[in-house]
Amino acid sequence: MKARSAENPVDVHGTVADGYEPVREAFAANFADRGETGAALTVHRAGRIVVDLWGGRKNTGRGAAEGGRHARSGQDAKSGKDAGLWQEQTAAVLRSASKGPAAAVLHLLHQRGQLDLDAPVATYWPEFKANGKERVLVRHLLAHRAGLPALTEPLTPAQAVDGVSGPSALAAQAPLWEPGTDHGYHAHTYGWLVGELVRRATGRGLGRWFAEEVARPLGLSLWFGLPATPEVPDGGVDLARLTEVPTPEPPPASGLRVRPKRSVTQAYSDPASLTRRAFDAVAPRPDMNDPAWLAAGLPGGGGVATARSLSCFYAALIGPVEPLPGGAATESPHAGRPPNARRGRGNAGGGRLFTPATLTQARSQESGGPDRVLVVGSRFGLGFMLHGPGAPMLAKGSFGHPGSGGSLAFADPESGTAFAYVTAAMQRSVTSDPRAHALVRALRTCVSASGR
């Protein structure tokens, strides 16, 4: 189908199961009414795909995130298709939606008896106890309660991805509040903290652990780390480029506030505020399309995935899943081979990742109320955001994570639903995006109609 009333009609590809047609209509309306340029959406129910959609352009030109250009790269030599169009296997940079899969690594280590979430971080990372951090617990890192949302001195983009500077800076500095007593979103620092903790506890980087223990068994096209070379750009992944696009003003009748609260606007505009310092922990702000950034696979924002695989991941947290249609990239980028070099189902599909106890642990509220960084109220479990006004998901029991600019992924155990929306069109949003909201509202109607 084509997006209705768009100035440049967009073909929406894919399928929806009977009863989920409103979700396809909402996806098409995002292109027509909400400034979408390229995106994909997948929904699982009871372990099988019921919505699988993609459309628009993937902004293939380098530097797209800086200039907002919608580059066109001509025809693909093999398929004859416009190489700039979003395809079935196109992946996107997840930004902070990366935090959910990263958190799952720590939960799985705890589930296997290899990591104690109630232990001091210094148990695994002795240098971390400096400057009054002896009592910072592993769960404090996951729940954004460690008091380390900003750095004393920002890192350069090169330092941010060198694997040493971020963890070293955090190990050396003092917390900004007494750990465990309050919460504030650790936008960048979350990735260095949990990444170093996994390395210390297992001897493997988080990206390699995830590839070997989660992505490969499930056949997921979901990576922390793409090894780009001149011969194999982006590690062989069909990658959408992030690009900033304007955020359309909602119509007055929509009920959405057109402008954020003054306190929020001030927090994001004041260079001295904790909000700006947290989001500017890397300065100048990095180009997240840069091969060096993608190769680093930072757990706080550098994950790359297809919507299909991200939804499958969340479905696997809450129950068994069917194999992904058409197979998925089963090779780890960390194994020295481009991730698309071999495709096949392998062990795709299988049993659930989380035990019932781990699932309860992951989505039980650890932090709630006014957020020192986001300024507005937020709710966190252990590494996952929880459904609420600041991050609306399907229902009260939903848990997942949005990505700054638009992406959103979550699971809802009560209805057996998993949802993943990824986009290349970055709008002015941090935890709440009107395109994702429209898709979730449509899905909520379908789930209610089918009976939870």
Side-chain angles (χ1 to χ4, degrees):
M1 67 179 294
K2 289 188 182 291
R4 53 183 169 76
S5 73
E7 293 181 6
N8 298 300
V10 172
D11 286 317
V12 172
H13 303 275
T15 60
V16 297
D18 290 344
Y20 292 87
E21 294 84 0
V23 180
R24 180 172 55 201
E25 293 170 3
F27 185 75
N30 278 349
F31 290 92
D33 305 327
R34 303 183 187 98
E36 188 66 271
T37 64
L41 168 69
T42 302
V43 177
H44 282 75
R45 289 290 305 277
R48 68 182 185 89
I49 292 176
V50 294
V51 175
D52 193 30
L53 300 171
W54 62 93
R57 306 196 66 82
K58 57 188 179 185
N59 311 318
T60 52
R62 285 297 311 279
E66 297 176 356
R69 296 181 295 273
H70 301 168
R72 297 174 181 266
S73 56
Q75 300 290 309
D76 182 88
K78 293 183 179 180
S79 67
K81 297 179 181 179
D82 184 338
L85 294 178
W86 200 293
Q87 306 293 340
E88 184 176 4
Q89 292 292 343
T90 298
V93 183
L94 302 178
R95 303 208 70 183
S96 284
S98 307
K99 290 183 170 71
V105 173
L106 277 72
H107 286 285
L108 290 170
L109 289 171
H110 177 83
Q111 185 172 287
R112 299 178 185 188
Q114 297 175 261
L115 184 72
D116 183 355
L117 300 187
D118 290 309
V121 174
T123 303
Y124 308 97
W125 180 3
E127 300 92 328
F128 185 81
K129 65 183 178 182
N131 273 319
K133 300 193 296 299
E134 300 90 344
R135 297 182 182 179
V136 178
L137 306 181
V138 174
R139 67 173 53 245
H140 293 156
L141 302 189
L142 286 169
H144 301 269
R145 303 181 72 81
L148 297 166
L151 297 176
T152 303
E153 294 291 336
L155 301 183
T156 66
Q159 290 173 322
V161 299
D162 66 14
V164 176
S165 298
S168 296
L170 289 164
Q173 78 176 51
L176 300 178
W177 63 81
E178 183 180 350
T181 63
D182 205 351
H183 77 287
Y185 185 50
H186 290 43
H188 281 290
T189 58
Y190 175 99
W192 296 312
L193 291 167
V194 301
E196 184 65 12
L197 180 59
V198 170
R199 188 179 73 82
R200 297 294 183 115
T202 69
R204 286 184 279 178
L206 186 145
R208 182 168 185 172
W209 200 98
F210 187 90
E212 295 174 352
E213 306 290 342
V214 180
R216 184 181 295 167
L218 288 172
L220 302 181
S221 296
L222 200 172
W223 306 277
F224 289 97
L226 297 180
T229 68
E231 296 76 22
V232 188
D234 303 322
V237 173
D238 178 22
L239 185 64
R241 296 285 177 184
L242 297 176
T243 183
E244 294 182 3
V245 300
T247 303
E249 295 286 2
S254 69
L256 295 175
R257 184 170 52 246
V258 174
R259 295 180 178 83
K261 291 181 179 179
R262 184 176 180 182
S263 59
V264 176
T265 301
Q266 291 175 331
Y268 280 93
S269 61
D270 180 3
S273 72
L274 183 56
T275 303
R276 276 286 298 274
R277 290 170 56 208
F279 283 96
D280 289 348
V282 182
R285 292 192 176 185
D287 173 7
M288 292 192 175
N289 294 323
D290 188 330
W293 185 269
L294 298 175
L298 296 176
V304 172
T306 64
R308 188 179 286 171
S309 289
L310 187 56
S311 180
C312 184
F313 160 77
Y314 272 100
L317 295 184
I318 61 176
V321 293
E322 290 185 349
L324 290 172
T330 58
E331 288 299 312
S332 163
H334 303 272
R337 178 192 298 248
N340 282 359
R342 187 179 76 193
R343 289 188 179 276
R345 290 189 177 180
N347 294 323
R352 64 188 291 172
L353 292 173
F354 282 179
T355 64
T358 301
L359 178 59
T360 298
Q361 168 185 277
R363 65 181 181 135
S364 295
Q365 180 171 311
E366 290 279 321
S367 302
D371 188 300
R372 287 198 178 203
V373 171
L374 298 177
V375 181
V376 298
S378 64
R379 296 180 66 228
F380 288 96
L382 289 173
F384 296 94
M385 273 194 172
L386 306 179
H387 170 77
M393 301 179 200
L394 188 64
K396 184 178 180 181
S398 301
F399 69 103
H401 217 288
S404 178
S407 297
L408 173 66
F410 62 80
D412 182 64
E414 282 68 32
S415 65
T417 303
F419 170 103
Y421 160 71
V422 300
T423 178
M426 293 173 54
Q427 295 189 3
R428 190 181 61 247
S429 64
V430 177
T431 64
S432 182
D433 187 273
R435 295 163 296 172
H437 289 182
L439 298 172
V440 172
R441 285 195 302 270
L443 176 61
R444 190 178 295 124
T445 299
C446 300
V447 171
S448 298
S450 66
R452 289 178 65 92

